[in-house]
């Protein structure tokens, strides 16, 4: 509710909003402000291609777009292919790194920025090259990747991008995706937005609802932490929402996201989970008691070194939306 109110007011200030919506909670606002609504599912006609390249960065210390996107793709493939609760081993990562560059080269794309206007490859192109790569590890990777390039999931990850983020509010609805696919979709969307942000720098905010679903994976957490460190450089604000702050406190990457957050809002806390919050945020006994007894819409707002009691209040029109 607080983020919806803030989004409506930020739009009036000229800030653009991207929202990753796992439960179809932002559709009505999107419709009423003339936003762009993108529904990602196995049967959706709207697609994002993870192989799309961002533009070259003019900063001297930046890596080239190809290397940066290969690193992002490695993170996405780790989420796709790693065993439950585990990760790819160094040999598998090395194979994927090499074959990813081959996949781009087959499409005529190299480190030369002049080649980046060529149509990017698809996940099926990577799968085809993996199939022809010798060794048991490559065969195993190709077998695990097959479900994302054939059958019901092919449309989600294996099609050219056919959406243009040309509205001031864009909502990505991922409600129809299975829970196991949501971290992949969040990673894919955030990476796509990251590429868009680098095309032109103007005030933008990216809201990731249920951010815990990405933090729980090593590569997903690393991607989110990297974005938290670098986003403001590109006039992008990162907003992460979670029901339980312990999801962030118990993760190294989650703590990085927290430490890079200029603003924090804590709502009502449960007595069974309050102590880690008190320790992490340096709450006084009075603030601890306030959060335990907070009513709906009340919370503690952290800005720099200030802790302020806050109440979220919407106008009648905002409330109806």
């Amino acid at each position: 509710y607080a983020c919806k109110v803030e989004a409506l007011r930020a739009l009036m200030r000229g800030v653009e909003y991207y929202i990753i919506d796992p439960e179809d909670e932002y559709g009505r606002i999107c419709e009423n402000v003339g936003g762009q609504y993108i529904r990602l599912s196995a049967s959706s006609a709207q697609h994002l291609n993870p192989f799309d390249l961002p533009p070259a960065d003019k900063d001297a210390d930046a890596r080239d777009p190809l290397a940066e996107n290969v690193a992002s793709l490695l993170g996405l493939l780790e989420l796709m292919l790693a065993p439950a609760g585990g990760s790819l081993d160094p040999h598998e990562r090395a194979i994927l790194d090499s074959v990813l560059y081959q996949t781009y080269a087959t499409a005529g794309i190299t480190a030369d920025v002049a080649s980046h206007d060529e149509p990017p490859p698809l996940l099926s192109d990577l799968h085809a090259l993996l199939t022809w790569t010798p060794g048991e590890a490559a065969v195993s990777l190709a077998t695990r990747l097959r479900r994302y390039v054939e059958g019901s999931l092919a449309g989600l990850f294996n099609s050219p991008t056919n959406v243009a983020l040309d509205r001031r509010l864009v909502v990505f609805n991922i409600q129809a995706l299975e829970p196991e696919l949501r971290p992949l979709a969040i990673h894919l969307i955030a990476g796509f937005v990251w590429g868009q942000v680098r095309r032109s720098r103007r005030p933008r905010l990216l809201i990731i609802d249920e951010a815990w679903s990405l933090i729980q994976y090593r590569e997903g957490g690393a991607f989110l932490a990297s974005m938290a460190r670098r986003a403001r450089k590109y006039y992008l604000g990162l907003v992460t929402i979670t029901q339980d702050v312990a999801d962030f406190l118990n993760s190294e990457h989650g703590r990085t996201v927290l430490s890079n957050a200029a603003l924090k809002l804590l709502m009502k806390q449960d007595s069974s989970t309050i102590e880690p919050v008190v320790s992490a945020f340096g709450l006084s006994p009075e603030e601890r008691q306030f959060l335990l007894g907070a009513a709906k819409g009340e919370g503690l707002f952290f800005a720099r070194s200030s802790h302020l009691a806050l109440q979220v209040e919407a106008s009648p029109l905002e409330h109806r939306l």
Side-chain angles (χ1 to χ4, degrees):
Y1 191 96
C3 284
K4 291 177 188 177
V5 171
E6 172 58 20
L8 286 169
R9 296 176 186 177
L11 285 169
M12 292 189 289
R13 299 196 304 270
V15 179
E16 297 181 5
Y17 257 78
Y18 300 122
I19 301 174
I20 299 178
D21 181 7
E23 299 298 338
D24 193 21
E25 295 177 310
Y26 298 85
R28 187 172 181 183
I29 285 180
C30 182
E31 179 184 357
N32 278 273
V33 300
Q36 187 173 5
Y37 190 80
I38 297 171
R39 179 179 175 271
L40 292 181
S41 70
S43 59
S44 173
Q46 296 168 310
H47 310 291
L48 300 176
N49 181 11
F51 283 84
D52 287 348
L53 286 172
D57 197 316
K58 297 179 182 179
D59 295 324
D61 62 343
R63 292 182 297 174
D64 67 88
L66 181 59
E68 185 167 278
N69 212 58
V70 166
S72 177
L73 281 165
L74 277 172
L76 179 64
L77 290 166
E78 176 104 29
L79 291 176
M80 287 178 166
L81 306 178
S87 58
L88 297 176
D89 63 43
H91 180 51
E92 290 175 322
R93 290 181 62 86
I95 291 173
L96 285 173
D97 185 80
S98 173
V99 177
L100 280 168
Y101 278 105
Q102 293 178 42
T103 304
Y104 275 112
T106 302
I109 298 173
T110 65
D112 183 1
V113 178
S115 68
H116 293 185
D117 290 332
E118 295 292 330
L122 299 174
L123 200 61
S124 55
D125 298 317
L126 172 67
H127 179 260
L129 283 176
L130 273 175
T131 302
W132 290 99
T133 301
E136 292 183 7
V139 172
S140 175
L141 289 169
T143 300
R144 281 175 273 167
L145 188 62
R146 182 178 296 121
R147 68 183 296 239
Y148 298 104
V149 299
E150 299 175 1
S152 61
L153 295 181
L156 185 60
F157 300 103
N158 189 41
S159 298
T161 296
N162 63 355
V163 298
L165 306 186
D166 55 1
R167 308 281 181 88
R168 290 179 51 231
L169 175 69
V170 181
V171 174
F172 297 91
N173 181 305
I174 59 174
Q175 184 184 32
L177 292 178
E178 294 295 325
E180 66 171 308
L181 295 177
R182 289 188 178 186
L184 305 181
I186 293 174
H187 194 292
L188 176 64
I189 294 165
F192 184 71
V193 169
W194 186 242
Q196 294 292 314
V197 163
R198 290 181 53 185
R199 296 179 190 278
S200 58
R201 302 187 187 184
R202 51 184 183 267
R204 294 180 171 102
L205 280 169
L206 169 63
I207 292 181
I208 301 181
D209 207 342
E210 295 192 9
W212 63 269
S213 64
L214 196 56
I215 286 287
Q216 65 180 320
Y217 298 95
R218 183 176 66 88
E219 282 298 329
F223 176 76
L224 206 57
S226 174
M227 181 173 284
R229 285 192 296 264
R230 302 173 59 204
R232 61 174 57 92
K233 176 181 177 182
Y234 298 97
Y235 293 102
L236 174 69
L238 176 65
V239 182
T240 53
I241 305 175
T242 188
Q243 294 291 334
D244 188 351
V245 71
D247 294 327
F248 282 80
L249 297 179
N250 295 334
S251 160
E252 175 188 353
H253 296 308
R255 292 192 296 273
T256 298
V257 174
L258 273 177
S259 65
N260 279 276
L263 306 173
K264 305 177 185 73
L265 176 59
L266 285 177
M267 311 300 280
K268 180 179 175 66
Q269 300 293 309
D270 186 82
S271 58
S272 64
T273 58
I274 187 68
E275 297 311 325
V277 177
V278 170
S279 175
F281 290 87
L283 301 182
S284 68
E286 293 77 15
E287 291 170 334
R288 177 185 183 278
Q289 198 57 40
F290 174 79
L291 286 178
L292 286 174
K296 181 182 289 187
E298 293 181 343
L300 276 180
F301 186 69
F302 297 76
R304 295 191 174 94
S305 59
S306 299
H307 298 186
L308 305 172
L310 175 146
Q311 183 167 349
V312 179
E313 292 187 355
S315 70
L317 172 59
E318 288 172 330
H319 183 70
R320 286 198 299 274
L321 293 181

